[in-house]
Amino acid sequence: MTVMREPRLDEPPPEGTAERSARSQEREVIDFDGLYHAHFRSLTLQLAAYCGDLSQAQDLVQEAFCRAFARWSRVSRYDDPVAWVRRVAWNLATSRWRRLRTAQSWLHRQREEHMPGPGPDRVALTAALAQLPTTQRRAVVLHYLADLSVVQIAAQEGVPEGTVKSWLHRGRAALAVILATTDEVSDND
């Protein structure tokens, strides 16, 4: 066990303290740009070997250096700031791999459901709705497909209830004419 005591003004400093202060001053001299330029390539190659993807490795190392830059006042005082950046980059790679693995396992558990395409009636109705004026089309869709009442549609559109009833009446009449002509055309084919 080593016991340290405060140095006195009239005594020379104990042995090794000058070396320690010189080493701490050397550590403070490390600048971020120098560290980045000296180690980016080697860290990228290490992570590329780990990940199997060079561009992903570059992104991970870049993110690790960004995190180091944000904490540079603390990281620069570490004995080996490169080790800290390397550990952060490896942790990022591991986290990314875990997220991808979780997403892939979720995708594998999903069942593929095959839905039949729209029938001829649906195609004819969609085409007929496209021919209606916007206000009538919106009223018909909201009333018959969204199951909104006339009062709810009037409140949503900011118009009187009578206007909505008029839109619905005109829309139904126009759809009847359009769909009747569509049926006649398909019967003649």
Side-chain angles (χ1 to χ4, degrees), residues 105-115:
S105 69
W106 182 82
L107 285 174
H108 288 296
R109 289 191 310 263
Q110 301 307 308
R111 293 186 182 161
E112 198 171 308
E113 294 183 26
H114 296 285
M115 300 294 291

Side-chain angles (χ1 to χ4, degrees), residues 129-143:
L129 282 171
Q131 294 178 23
L132 292 179
T134 307
T135 54
Q136 293 175 14
R137 179 178 41 218
R138 191 170 30 235
V140 169
V141 168
L142 290 174
H143 187 69

Side-chain angles (χ1 to χ4, degrees), residues 142 148-162 164 167:
L142 290 174
L148 295 181
S149 68
V150 172
V151 174
Q152 291 171 322
I153 297 170
Q156 179 177 327
E157 297 298 315
V159 296
E161 292 176 32
V164 173
W167 289 344

Side-chain angles (χ1 to χ4, degrees), residues 71-94:
R71 299 166 180 80
W72 188 243
S73 61
R74 187 174 31 150
V75 172
S76 65
R77 291 190 306 257
Y78 291 162
D79 288 336
D80 190 6
V82 177
W84 187 90
V85 173
R86 182 183 306 111
R87 172 52 44 202
V88 169
W90 282 78
N91 288 347
L92 289 170
T94 303

